[in-house]
Structure formats: structure tokens, C-alpha cells
Amino acid sequence: MDQYILENILSRLPPKDLYTCQRVCKYWYSIISNIISSPFSIFITSPTAVLNYNACLSNEDVEKAWKKVPKPGGMHTKYIRLIGSYNGLICLRYEDYNMALWNPCTGLFKTVKNNFQCIDYPFCGFGPNSSTAAGGYVIVLGCKYFVRFGVMNDKLGQYVWKSIQHNKDYVYRESIGVLVNGNLHWPACWGIRKKVILYNLDEGKLEEFKGPDKQETTNFRIGNFKGNLCATFKDGRMFEIWVMKDYRVEESWMWLYNIEGFVLHDALVPLGFLKNGDIIIEVDRRFIARYSFAYKTAKVLRFLRGTKSSAVSFVETLAKPNI
């Protein structure tokens, strides 16, 4: 069978079946390893649904390619808040301020008890616990003047909640943290200054560094560009994408691309980049779109339901939410 045809067939299988098919032979193992390592999926809330990377590249009706994902059993609530994604797990907040770690591919989930009764979080995030060799995860919930974070140790299998204070009254431009270089980041403004707020997962503290020097622009957002931190701004009738070439080196911010055709829109959040160079973006919390830099055209992939609906990119794995 032609390799392209085989890869196209296998890429449509769910991760659980892919890992089983890897055992067929070395040839299949090599092809599937490449499939697993490269694609990402887009996860949205309200309603919960997933779109695979390969559907973004195809010429089919992408709106129909979205796969509805039933909420975990036991999560009996209409309201869910997306906290973040890491290693194939989705972190959600639901009723009674509790959290859930959920793998949409396997359906497994774990409830994380939380007595932090804050109605809303200006910023939040989910990532690896890199502070110890034992591994685990970190959940970050940020309020106005303090941050609460839950740290799980894999060996213990439970979360320990701690709080730290921060003194500056930032205006956060996006609530869900972007994971780059093992740390969580949020775009923020302090006066007219654009800042990237960093939660140092190793040291458990908030830090900051400057965004690109573009004071005349508006609607500062950040994302992950092939492992590097990137930023988007609205400058007149177009959006600009900048990338930080050297991590935490403020002078290394450099212009990368322009995105045209979104004159009436206010904010673009980068979700991921396709193999052909196209970008997947969330626009104004209203819809998900694919933009081609080559042809300067955009295609809507999915309309979102209401301002409380959120989107995040994640890699499909068989990771377990607990040990």
C-alpha cells in the first residue's frame, strides 16, 4: 500500500487505536509515531467538541468534522470553565468551585477538590509540575492581588493548594495561560505598557518581562509558535504576529507575519500552526478560523456559542489524569 494512502487512513483513527496499531510492524510503528508527534486537536467548550489537525488540512466541510465529546460522567452541570491543557489532559472548573482533569480521548477524569471560592479568575492555567523529580501537574488560579496554585505529586496522587501574593494591578488580556519553555504565560497591560506575566513553575512565583515595543497597537494576545512565545496585535486595519526568538530576552522580539481581512474584529488568539504554514486562530471568542498567509484568506472552522465558550489546542494522548 502507498505510504501516503496508509498515513491518510491511519491518521483518522483515534489515539487509542493508533497505539494498538503501532504493534503491527516496524513500518507501521514509524508512520504512526510521525502521526502522533505532529498533529494537534482543538478543544472547545459549550458544547464540548474536538477538531483534529488533519481535518483542518482537508478540503472537506470542516464544520461537520467537529466531533462532539460527551462531558465526563459525574460532571452534572451546564457551566464549565476551561482552565488549560497539557499532555492530552484538559483542566476544567465546574460546580462548587471544583476542578476536573479529563482526557477526552479515553474519557478518564479525576476531580480535584478546591475550597478557593472565587467567582471568576482574571487568569488561570494548567501545566507540568517541574518543581520536583516526581512529576505531576500544576493548576494556577489567579485573582486580583494573589495567586492560588494546586501542585500534584505523582507519587502522592493528590493536590496541595498554596497561595502567593502579587502587588501590581495588571489588566489581563487573556485568561488561559500559554505554556512555553515549561512555564505559563499571560498577556497583560500595566498602564500603556505591554507585559508578559510568567508563572515560574520551578520556583512557584510570578515574574514579568516586556512584550514587543508596539505601544500604538491594541488587543495584545500571546500564543505558542513552534515552541517559541509569539504575540498578536491589531495595528490599524491588520493584525501583526511577533515571535520571541530567544526566551525571556526582550530585545529578541521580531515581526513575523501580517494577518489581513479582520478589520471589524478586535482580538486574535493563536491556537496552532499547520504543516503548510497556515495558522489556526480564535477570533473575538466568536469563532475558530484557519488563515492562509500565502493566499491572505480565512476560512471559518467553527462558530462559538457565547462569550463564555473557550478554545485551546491540545495533543491527543493516553495520559491518565491520576496515578
Side-chain angles (χ1 to χ4, degrees):
M1 182 182 294
D2 181 82
Q3 179 177 338
Y4 175 79
I5 297 176
L6 179 60
E7 184 174 339
N8 189 274
I9 294 172
L10 291 174
S11 65
R12 299 174 186 273
L13 296 177
K16 207 168 186 177
D17 294 336
L18 281 176
Y19 282 98
T20 301
C21 291
Q22 274 188 314
R23 303 171 187 170
V24 172
C25 63
K26 290 183 178 179
Y27 179 57
W28 278 39
Y29 181 88
S30 175
I31 291 177
I32 293 172
S33 295
N34 183 57
I35 293 173
I36 293 174
S37 63
S38 57
F40 64 87
S41 294
I42 302 165
F43 174 88
I44 64 168
T45 60
S46 185
T48 52
V50 169
L51 177 69
N52 188 267
Y53 168 99
N54 297 290
C56 298
L57 278 171
S58 68
N59 293 320
E60 62 184 284
D61 186 350
V62 180
E63 175 69 22
K64 295 180 180 179
W66 285 87
K67 180 176 67 175
K68 288 187 178 180
V69 182
K71 287 181 288 190
M75 190 181 288
H76 304 298
T77 178
K78 292 183 179 179
Y79 171 79
I80 56 175
R81 163 80 182 269
L82 184 57
I83 302 298
S85 168
Y86 170 69
N87 192 32
L89 297 179
I90 302 293
C91 182
L92 301 169
R93 173 200 167 186
Y94 62 110
E95 59 191 8
D96 298 327
Y97 307 103
N98 288 325
M99 307 288 156
L101 299 190
W102 174 37
N103 188 324
C105 299
T106 63
L108 296 176
F109 85 104
K110 172 185 174 66
T111 297
V112 180
K113 296 292 183 180
N114 172 38
N115 59 2
F116 182 44
Q117 297 185 2
C118 180
I119 296 176
D120 203 4
Y121 313 118
F123 64 101
C124 56
F126 175 60
N129 176 17
S130 54
S131 61
T132 67
Y137 306 106
V138 172
I139 300 173
V140 179
L141 306 174
C143 279
K144 192 169 184 179
Y145 292 115
F146 63 94
V147 181
R148 184 169 171 82
F149 59 99
V151 180
M152 188 185 83
N153 184 309
D154 272 355
K155 291 184 179 179
L156 299 177
Q158 61 185 10
Y159 278 80
V160 177
W161 290 94
K162 303 177 183 179
S163 296
I164 58 174
Q165 289 186 329
H166 62 96
N167 299 320
K168 293 184 179 179
D169 189 10
Y170 296 108
V171 177
Y172 290 89
R173 296 301 184 186
E174 186 66 27
S175 60
I176 300 175
V178 175
L179 188 64
V180 175
N181 209 46
N183 295 315
L184 289 166
H185 307 77
W186 298 268
C189 291
W190 191 43
I192 63 171
R193 299 175 183 174
K194 294 176 174 64
K195 298 283 188 178
V196 176
I197 308 303
L198 154 71
Y199 179 75
N200 191 316
L201 292 172
D202 284 332
E203 301 180 18
K205 64 179 183 179
L206 286 180
E207 301 174 3
E208 67 175 56
F209 54 86
K210 294 179 182 178
D213 187 15
K214 297 283 291 183
Q215 293 185 4
E216 70 279 6
T217 58
T218 59
N219 299 305
F220 174 38
R221 299 294 188 272
I222 61 173
N224 187 322
F225 175 73
K226 300 179 180 179
N228 291 327
L229 194 67
C230 68
T232 63
F233 302 90
K234 188 171 185 181
D235 189 359
R237 299 178 62 84
M238 69 177 64
F239 285 85
E240 295 183 6
I241 297 183
W242 289 59
V243 67
M244 180 173 254
K245 189 175 180 181
D246 300 313
Y247 184 61
R248 298 193 68 177
V249 178
E250 296 172 346
E251 295 76 16
S252 69
W253 282 108
M254 58 180 291
W255 173 86
L256 195 64
Y257 299 116
N258 287 334
I259 296 181
E260 302 178 15
F262 292 93
V263 179
L264 300 179
H265 299 285
D266 296 321
L268 303 185
V269 178
L271 294 177
F273 289 82
L274 305 181
K275 285 182 178 179
N276 66 350
D278 290 1
I279 185 175
I280 306 298
I281 49 179
E282 179 188 285
V283 184
D284 290 350
R285 289 281 178 92
R286 291 172 55 191
F287 59 89
I288 308 297
R290 167 186 172 182
Y291 181 81
S292 169
F293 294 105
Y295 298 101
K296 298 182 179 180
T297 57
K299 179 180 181 180
V300 175
L301 305 179
R302 178 86 174 196
F303 286 98
L304 303 179
R305 295 186 181 179
T307 57
K308 290 188 179 297
S309 185
S310 300
V312 69
S313 60
F314 79 107
V315 178
E316 296 178 334
T317 71
L318 299 180
K320 296 180 180 180
N322 63 330
I323 299 302

